[in-house]
Amino acid sequence: MAELNVESEITGAVWKITTEIGARAEKGDVLMILESMKMEIPVEATQAGTVVRILVSEGETVSEGQPLVRLSD
Amino acid sequence: MFVRILIANRGEIACRVIKTCKRLGIETVAVFSEADRNALHVQLADEAHCIGPAPARESYLVVDRILEVAKSSRSEAIHPGYGFLSENPVLSQACLDAGIVFLGPPPEVIRVMGAKDAAKRMAESIDVPVIPGYHGDDQDDATLQNHAQRIGWPCLIKAAAGGGGRGMRRVNDAAEFAQSLAAVRREAKSFFGDDKVIVERFITQPRHIEVQVMGDNFGRYIHLGERDCSIQRRHQKVIEEAPGCGLSDALRSRMRAAALKLASAIEYKGVGTIEFLVDAGRDDEAFYFIEMNTRIQVEHPITEKVFGIDLVEYQFLIAAGEALPPQDRFNASGYAIEARICAEDPSRGYRPTPGLLREFSVPQLSEHLRVDTGFRSGDEISPWYDSLVAKVIVYGESREDAVRKMSDTLARCRINGISSNIPLLISIMENAVYQRTAVDTNFLQTYGDELLTPRQAALG
């Protein structure tokens, strides 16, 4: 079973997590919304899979390249 | 005049207000979040107080905390800058209750002008034009179509509860109406849970033109001409110009009269801006009131350059109870342009690019070049606040001269460590359409690819 981390493309903060452990995500589904410089930036699933881990919590700061969610196909 | 004031803001505007205070001999009290401990505004102020953690809602937006610092530091007034609490009636009211001067309008004026619908109704009631439309409760298909016919084609159908560009459609003629109405109703229902729609005139070539106004405590209202802020991305201004081009004298005087009428109708005190849309797609010079900003605006320096005045100083003078000079004492000359340098990457959908500003330098300042910024080389551009790094303001004899100066200046600005929009700003200055004539708010959307491509290639 292949696992893959969805990473943050920006430096910012986690505003809202819109998925949960065990949820099924299709490619392009929004998993969480980050906030940076007063902009909301959605984080989308880069491939289809099941959410096996959420690696951050709401309000936490994240940096570019940091893993946010682990998907398993 | 005041002895000591508190500045409830950060970044370039806090630094800019401090500058005027220093010139006038007013002591300054800065507030800062934990993320801004080493910020320029903190160092420039006479004293500074931490008001909480990085997120603005836990620091720069906490009215009680700011008021507490104002009281303990014995500040006589609070300057709110723009953004944050500048148009929040709660701070204005709290200042009133605490006997501290709020450098902005009283709470009731912020309430009226802050709610867009109320502001438009107020404008309509004194015959200041607003975008022709139908906002009524009768949602019968035939009624709506009759109103569209009356307003004229093309029209816009949009969700009454809408926002953010969703649930709206352009309708070119009567034949398209029924189908578009059904589509907007469906979208309105699913996005906003309410299928009520409004019908408005569709502005094909909107230009964003605003009039700077001032009002004192003695019933005198002054205008300071126009600013053209039509170059925008996602409703955020990118380039602003004063006095703007391609506006007839007749149109300018009608807009100024409308702005002054509004300011006097609400007995406005302080500095403010009345924003209009001018429909460049029509030949009747139609313009419509869109909103009023009851604060100093980001782009105020271009008005300062052409009038040779300091608007922040006027905020102090008016609040201290002094009378404004008569209109004929305010005379404009020359042409000013402001460009906003932002920490963002236009080629990647204007993605924010916070980070360490390793190097930031600008050419030698002069009477033709002003740079307002809250950052120095080595500062961190924080993801917690907006992306504005600096405002470059140039002053020339003519628009052509100012455009050339802006282009030269931007090319000599050095910014390293983060991506910025400087290449896009230069492309705009070098764009033939922009150089030739006034543009409308569709400009960046229309020419976006063209503006971004050559620079990319040159850099690649």
Side-chain angles (χ1 to χ4, degrees), chain A residues 43-69:
Chain A
V43 176
E44 297 173 354
T46 43
Q47 63 167 51
T50 303
V51 176
V52 290
R53 283 192 70 185
I54 296 174
L55 303 154
V56 291
S57 49
E58 287 183 6
E60 191 177 328
T61 53
V62 295
S63 48
E64 196 174 331
Q66 183 176 337
L68 303 172
V69 171

Side-chain angles (χ1 to χ4, degrees), chain B residues 248-260:
Chain B
S248 73
D249 288 345
L251 176 57
R252 285 182 195 272
S253 63
R254 281 165 59 222
M255 294 176 78
R256 291 168 185 179
L260 290 175

Side-chain angles (χ1 to χ4, degrees), chain B residues 313-334:
Chain B
E313 180 177 3
Y314 275 105
Q315 288 188 298
F316 293 140
L317 291 172
I318 293 165
E322 296 201 24
L324 282 170
Q327 181 74 57
D328 61 14
R329 298 278 186 83
F330 296 92
N331 295 299
S333 68

Side-chain angles (χ1 to χ4, degrees), chain B residues 112-361:
Chain B
V112 172
M113 296 323 270
K116 274 196 176 190
D117 285 349
K120 280 184 184 168
R121 277 198 300 276
M122 149 67 81
E124 253 184 312
S125 74
I126 56 166
D127 296 321
V128 167
V130 298
I131 297 174
Y134 173 73
H135 301 78
D137 289 327
D138 183 354
Q139 294 284 304
D140 182 66
D141 291 17
T143 306
L144 293 169
Q145 179 144 1
N146 285 339
H147 280 288
Q149 197 74 45
R150 170 181 63 82
I151 294 159
W153 311 104
C155 77
L156 186 72
I157 309 179
K158 59 182 184 185
R166 293 207 289 186
M168 59 167 73
R169 237 162 238 249
R170 172 186 174 153
V171 188
N172 292 307
D173 54 45
E176 287 179 10
F177 192 86
Q179 201 188 346
S180 299
L181 175 60
V184 174
R185 277 182 176 150
R186 267 197 314 276
E187 288 172 14
K189 187 79 193 163
S190 79
F191 290 149
F192 311 109
D194 179 359
D195 68 359
K196 188 180 171 189
V197 301
I198 60 183
V199 181
E200 274 186 355
R201 174 175 290 169
F202 183 86
I203 316 292
T204 50
Q205 294 175 48
R207 292 183 63 194
H208 177 115
I209 309 291
E210 57 189 33
V211 178
Q212 178 74 54
V213 295
M214 299 197 285
D216 66 12
N217 295 287
F218 309 98
R220 174 166 272 162
Y221 303 97
I222 298 293
H223 75 77
L224 293 162
E226 296 75 42
R227 291 189 290 255
D228 182 346
C229 313
S230 298
I231 298 193
Q232 305 183 357
R233 53 112 179 137
R234 294 179 185 155
H235 303 286
Q236 291 267 41
K237 296 164 187 167
V238 176
I239 304 277
E240 301 100 345
E241 310 182 14
C245 67
L247 300 165
S248 73
D249 288 345
L251 176 57
R252 285 182 195 272
S253 63
R254 281 165 59 222
M255 294 176 78
R256 291 168 185 179
L260 290 175
K261 203 166 166 185
L262 260 172
S264 71
I266 58 170
E267 297 180 4
Y268 192 73
K269 294 171 187 67
V271 310
T273 298
I274 318 275
E275 298 191 334
F276 298 104
L277 281 185
V278 169
D279 191 351
R282 295 166 65 93
D283 49 21
D284 61 358
E285 300 201 311
F287 69 91
Y288 314 108
F289 167 75
I290 46 175
E291 64 174 314
M292 176 167 190
N293 292 315
T294 57
R295 54 170 162 81
I296 193 89
Q297 278 188 290
V298 178
E299 61 273 22
H300 75 277
I302 53 175
T303 298
E304 295 184 326
K305 284 313 270 185
V306 295
F307 279 89
I309 60 164
D310 181 334
L311 282 165
V312 172
E313 180 177 3
Y314 275 105
Q315 288 188 298
F316 293 140
L317 291 172
I318 293 165
E322 296 201 24
L324 282 170
Q327 181 74 57
D328 61 14
R329 298 278 186 83
F330 296 92
N331 295 299
S333 68
Y335 205 95
I337 302 179
E338 173 180 280
R340 300 187 188 189
I341 298 179
C342 294
E344 64 186 20
D345 186 347
S347 65
R348 293 169 77 201
Y350 297 96
R351 186 187 300 264
T353 56
L356 179 66
L357 185 62
R358 279 205 301 274
E359 183 194 358
F360 178 52
S361 68

